[in-house]
Amino acid sequence: MPKKQIIHEQWSSRLAFVLAATGSAVGLGNIWKFPYITGENGGGAFVLVYLMCICLIGIPIMMAEIMLGRRGQQSPVGAMRTLALESGVSSHWAVLGAVGIVAGILIMSFYSVIAGWAVSYMLEAALGHFNGLTGETAGAKLGGLLGDPLQLTFWHTIFSAMTAFVVARGVRSGLEKAVQILMPLLFVLLLIMLGYAISTGYFMQGLQFLFAVDFAKLTPEAILTALGHAFFTLSLGMGAIMVYGSYMPKGASIAKTTFIIAILDTLVALMAGMAIFPLVFANGLEAGAGPGLVFVTLPIAFGEMFGGALFGTLFFLLLVFAAWTSAISLIEPATAWLSENRGMKRSTAAYAVTFVCWALGLVTVMSFSSWSFSFHFAGAEKTDGMFDVLDILTSTFMLPLGGLAIAIFTGWVMKQVYVRDEIRLGQGVFAVWYQVIRWVAPLLLLYLFIHSLGFA
Ligand code: PFF
């Protein structure tokens, strides 16, 4: 088989695609980021805005992105070029794919550092190092890790290597095999954690925090964060879902699979919130602790609870698994592109891309110590320098803008017959989805952007 076709292996079934895309969607975003940004933004009202963004913008754009991938049958750059030419417009639309590839590399660079914290904390939990932690000592523990670039680099390297190992093996024997093992385990671990949270007696308090809506707590920054997070959590706007879509069998329904993926992703985020906040409240801790929530607050809880070493290890194992199946999708677009255009072997491509992300990741590593600086964004103070810059640049700008471009291309540029032919929806459903992609999603996106950035 010529090299070029190796990257166009297909998932062996629809289930494999659903697992892989859910694996991409469910990650640090659900278990680390969602609870802490919910905590920072006051709970219920933020969750409501986030859910609305998922339904009105996320799901329709995910359908579009999968559709583009399956019709384009190549890496995002090649797919966008082919689709643009097919519809008789400029092949410069390929730039959209290229920007996506860059976004993936930027995200992976910091994603892998945070995932490295999780690998390190998994061992700490297993060794019983959480016993007797107080607010102060737990903070000092994370501070110690963050202030030690060598240690951070070590764990970042381990996680990068894990990711490269899977991606190098290809779609079926790498990606597919990994998600088939990791995703079911992830659900079991989450259920165990949820069971524990129910047993603390603070479950209702957790629910109330997540679902009691108080609009007074909703700031413009919160709305922008919710929008950015809807993209981040569904892995939208950068070609990861597009490239996964390009490996999807022709017969599988795009709408059905999208719904399943979005529902599972949302469920995991809510379940993670329901597993974490009761522990926070049971121990009298702070819900708005920020990025440290699962790395400072939870270890205190694990140190105090019965069987904490076991539950702590399971929790961080869950986080590592979730991050792993997402990281492989972050570097897949670049890997596919390199093997497609540079005639590189897939494994060489995977290692090359990982190396670039790893090297860039050193910037994030340093941002927690010597290179830290603070700045203001949309009214909030950010103190972790380049890490915050990268996070905001990608989740708040690149992904939503990528999503906007996907909506515009699908709704206004690509010929409707091709869209219809690939997405295969019934007349009525198609009409609704198409109008959402043409009008609702782009206008809402623009409105939220302009409004939240304070221009209107
Ligand atoms: N969806 C992942 C998460 O929630 O952690 C992060 C992510 C993966 C974002 C892949 C974008 C992406 F392309």
Side-chain angles (χ1 to χ4, degrees):
M1 194 193 282
K3 266 181 211 148
K4 229 180 164 174
Q5 277 173 14
I6 294 175
I7 63 157
H8 297 312
E9 276 178 292
Q10 286 205 332
W11 305 113
S12 59
S13 61
R14 190 179 78 139
L15 178 69
F17 170 73
V18 169
L19 279 180
T22 308
S24 166
V26 171
L28 292 175
N30 304 60
I31 302 166
W32 165 70
K33 203 169 177 189
F34 173 73
Y36 95 70
I37 56 179
T38 300
E40 280 183 332
N41 290 293
F46 174 82
V47 174
L48 189 68
V49 175
Y50 158 76
L51 291 177
M52 279 168 53
C53 289
I54 294 274
C55 293
L56 291 174
I57 304 176
I59 291 179
I61 291 187
M62 187 177 228
M63 286 170 64
E65 193 171 331
I66 297 177
M67 182 276 294
L68 296 177
R70 192 171 67 179
R71 192 162 187 90
Q73 287 290 303
Q74 290 151 75
S75 75
V77 178
M80 288 310 298
R81 180 179 301 118
T82 308
L83 295 175
L85 292 176
E86 182 188 47
S87 285
V89 296
S90 158
S91 61
H92 285 122
W93 276 96
V95 171
L96 174 57
V99 174
I101 286 179
V102 173
I105 289 174
L106 292 178
I107 296 176
M108 179 61 184
S109 78
F110 68 81
Y111 204 82
S112 162
V113 177
I114 312 286
W117 304 359
V119 181
S120 146
Y121 267 58
M122 189 176 78
L123 290 185
E124 294 273 335
L127 294 171
H129 289 176
F130 292 162
N131 285 343
L133 280 184
T134 60
E136 221 166 286
T137 51
K141 191 180 231 352
L142 182 64
L145 175 65
L146 298 195
D148 183 349
L150 271 184
Q151 236 198 99
L152 276 185
T153 305
F154 175 75
W155 297 115
H156 163 53
T157 309
I158 301 257
F159 186 79
S160 300
M162 285 161 59
T163 308
F165 173 75
V166 172
V167 178
R169 296 172 67 94
V171 175
R172 284 208 183 169
S173 39
L175 278 57
E176 193 169 318
K177 209 168 249 162
V179 294
Q180 262 161 3
I181 302 169
L182 296 177
M183 292 313 286
L185 270 175
L186 189 142
F187 275 101
V188 173
L189 292 178
L190 197 55
L191 284 178
I192 296 177
M193 291 304 301
L194 201 58
Y196 182 80
I198 294 174
S199 77
T200 59
Y202 283 78
F203 193 64
M204 288 318 287
Q205 215 168 313
L207 283 189
Q208 197 167 14
F209 180 74
L210 278 171
F211 298 113
V213 175
D214 175 3
F215 283 110
K217 291 183 178 155
L218 207 59
T219 61
E221 197 223 356
I223 297 177
L224 204 55
T225 307
L227 174 71
H229 191 63
F231 278 90
F232 187 82
T233 193
L234 291 177
S235 307
L236 292 182
M238 55 140 282
I241 286 297
M242 200 186 288
V243 81
Y244 273 23
S246 75
Y247 310 142
M248 183 181 180
K250 278 281 179 201
S253 153
I254 291 178
K256 266 190 218 143
T257 43
T258 300
F259 274 101
I260 299 173
I261 297 159
I263 288 172
L264 287 176
D265 182 71
T266 308
L267 211 63
V268 172
L270 295 176
M271 279 164 73
M274 288 189 256
I276 289 169
F277 287 114
L279 301 197
V280 172
F281 296 130
N283 291 280
L285 301 167
E286 188 47 58
L293 185 68
V294 307
F295 292 100
V296 176
T297 313
L298 281 188
I300 304 175
F302 290 132
E304 277 176 11
M305 68 170 70
F306 176 73
L310 176 68
F311 285 115
T313 313
L314 289 180
F315 176 81
F316 286 105
L317 184 67
L318 167 76
L319 200 55
V320 172
F321 282 178
W324 198 5
T325 54
S326 297
I328 57 182
S329 74
L330 280 167
I331 62 166
E332 180 63 24
T335 305
W337 178 75
L338 270 186
S339 29
E340 202 171 84
N341 288 281
R342 306 280 148 211
M344 227 183 236
K345 247 173 56 191
R346 186 185 166 90
S347 53
T348 316
Y351 286 111
V353 175
T354 307
F355 178 75
V356 173
C357 298
W358 176 85
L360 266 176
L362 299 180
V363 174
T364 291
V365 163
M366 298 309 293
S367 74
F368 298 112
S369 49
S370 5
W371 296 355
S372 85
F373 57 85
S374 60
F375 61 96
H376 279 83
F377 176 71
E381 190 183 12
K382 306 284 169 189
T383 52
D384 289 327
M386 280 311 286
F387 163 67
D388 281 325
V389 170
L390 285 172
D391 181 23
I392 294 172
L393 175 71
T394 51
S395 342
T396 312
F397 292 98
M398 294 180 90
L399 302 188
L401 290 176
L404 180 63
I406 287 173
I408 291 174
F409 182 83
T410 307
W412 297 94
V413 179
M414 193 167 159
K415 291 219 168 91
Q416 206 197 102
V417 275
Y418 299 141
V419 178
R420 200 185 275 275
D421 173 55
E422 193 63 45
I423 197 117
R424 298 215 188 106
L425 291 170
Q427 280 285 345
V429 187
F430 178 82
V432 173
W433 170 78
Y434 200 61
Q435 293 312 318
V436 171
I437 278 293
R438 278 168 81 92
W439 297 104
V440 182
L443 289 177
L444 208 60
L445 253 168
L446 279 177
Y447 171 76
L448 291 181
F449 249 111
I450 293 170
H451 176 71
S452 308
L453 288 175
F455 297 128

